[in-house]
Amino acid sequence: MKKVFMALLAFSILLPAFVHGKNQLEFLRPTVKVHKVENMTLDNAIDHPAWNKSAENRFMLFATEPAAINKLPKEHANVKYLYDDKYFYVRAEFFDSDIMTTGTKHGGHFYAQGDVLEVFLKPVNHNYYWEIYGTPNELRTRFHYPSRGTLGLPSGFAPNDLPILVKAKVDGTFNNCSDKDTKWCVVLMIPRSELEKYGYKFDTPSRWLVLSARYNYSRYLDKHEYSSFPQIALSYHFYEYYAEIEFVK
Amino acid sequence: MKFKSLAVVSAIAAIMSLGAEYVRTEILLDKEYPFLARVDNDLYYYNRLPQERGTVKFSKNADGLVISAKLKDSDVVAESTADQASLDKTGDSLRIFLKPENDTFVWEIFVDSNNHKSSFFHWSLGRMFYDKSGKPVIDVKTSKGDGFWNAEVFFPASEARKHGLDFSEREQWTVMVVRTNYSKYLDKKELSSYPQVIKDFTNPIYFGRLILNK
């Protein structure tokens, strides 16, 4: 809830500049190509060869001031995307000196419990959007907001038994800070049936936006670290900064 | 408690950005790039296009580097009267920095919509002096019309060879192109560049890396 309040406070400060600002300038939205894949399953999700052909998108620091623009986090990360007729696949690779989470059940607010991948998905021409999590111990959460104007209401955080699939691979010792870990990889398989349930197709000609973001907790960092692709300013709920998906068949 | 949380997150992010590695923009040859607004103290300008847009493209031939710009402009104005001046002070202009990544010296080049040109060689960005008695080493071509002006700047490789470089694929070159746009239709003169800059156009960390091998 603290995170939601932080987002709301950021909006109240910045959103007027976006909507009513004296110097209303067009934002150059990044785009990301998402290729079609065949034969992706939960078992082969992490190492499917199709990922080798998919572009690697580097995470940049969460920006609260101009000095952070175009800067890498201390612990690097990248994300790749694929899709097929059933799922949207998000594969993140997180270099991480201390892989951990205290989360134990699906549906948690994992950003407050440890390392997490957050994926935000929104159709361009509608207000609703999703916030979906995956953790190193293969837990998942799905929040859905009818609009940013309803962000914070309990209904947005209602438990949901959604068949999102999560596969993770840890290169290190999970929840053990006595040594230094290397990295963890996670694939989220997000069913298109969920994304399309309001009648808006997850494919051309429909237009979609995506953000992949990270909370990184570590014994070896002075402070926990936030980063994302594309780079985002002030709040992960600022979909004005999200990348637009270019579906490639 | 809630206000403290936002302050804490902001402080954390600010601290992390201080020692963080900057990712230099890579620039491909023969591709058009948009000018982006200068970011001053306000994150709002991050990745924003200026009110009056333009594009820049870099090409290479055996003799040197060609920098071409197409600029939309509601009021094309330049009051320069001669070459070899800081042309951004007198009207619509481009200011180009060309610098080898692994050395300190830099060329600073100006062209304006009056077809005037300037080039200054500096031993480093910490040693920028403007010798107005010299002659520009570049060639330029400009054209203008209702609502636009275009510029093409040719920088000869022979200039680079004087300092032991030759624009080959073995070398790392960086570049910054800054546009100064005066207009009676703008509240204030508009500064934009490619790559995008935070505050200081002469900070070499923001210069883009030219990818000379195709």
Side-chain angles (χ1 to χ4, degrees), chain B residues 115-196:
Chain B
N115 210 47
H116 284 128
K117 58 185 187 279
S118 318
S119 68
F120 303 102
F121 174 80
H122 308 296
W123 282 106
S124 84
L125 290 160
R127 209 173 182 267
M128 294 168 77
F129 299 110
Y130 296 86
D131 176 11
K132 302 205 163 85
S133 64
K135 279 182 74 172
V137 302
I138 52 170
D139 287 326
V140 307
K141 262 190 294 195
T142 61
S143 59
K144 56 187 173 185
D146 186 20
F148 75 93
W149 69 284
N150 299 328
E152 191 175 280
V153 175
F154 173 69
F155 178 84
S158 55
E159 275 304 302
R161 283 186 206 113
K162 289 180 188 170
H163 299 278
L165 302 163
D166 64 6
F167 269 131
S168 74
E169 293 161 8
R170 294 182 303 273
E171 293 167 4
Q172 303 267 41
W173 282 85
T174 63
V175 66
M176 168 61 66
V177 183
V178 181
R179 177 187 181 183
T180 306
N181 180 17
Y182 295 83
S183 170
K184 65 185 182 192
Y185 301 107
L186 296 174
D187 291 337
K188 56 180 184 174
K189 80 177 180 218
E190 187 169 55
L191 298 170
S192 57
S193 67
Y194 192 80
Q196 190 168 41

Side-chain angles (χ1 to χ4, degrees), chain A residues 49-69:
Chain A
W51 292 118
N52 296 332
K53 294 179 198 161
S54 183
E56 195 176 273
N57 301 292
R58 299 167 86 172
F59 277 48
M60 297 284 184
L61 269 183
F62 180 71
T64 57
E65 51 166 25
I69 289 173

Side-chain angles (χ1 to χ4, degrees), chain B residues 57-77:
Chain B
K57 185 172 77 169
F58 304 86
S59 311
K60 187 173 154 310
N61 59 34
D63 299 325
L65 185 69
V66 179
I67 301 161
S68 317
K70 294 180 191 170
L71 307 161
K72 289 202 163 71
D73 197 325
S74 55
D75 178 24
V76 178
V77 55

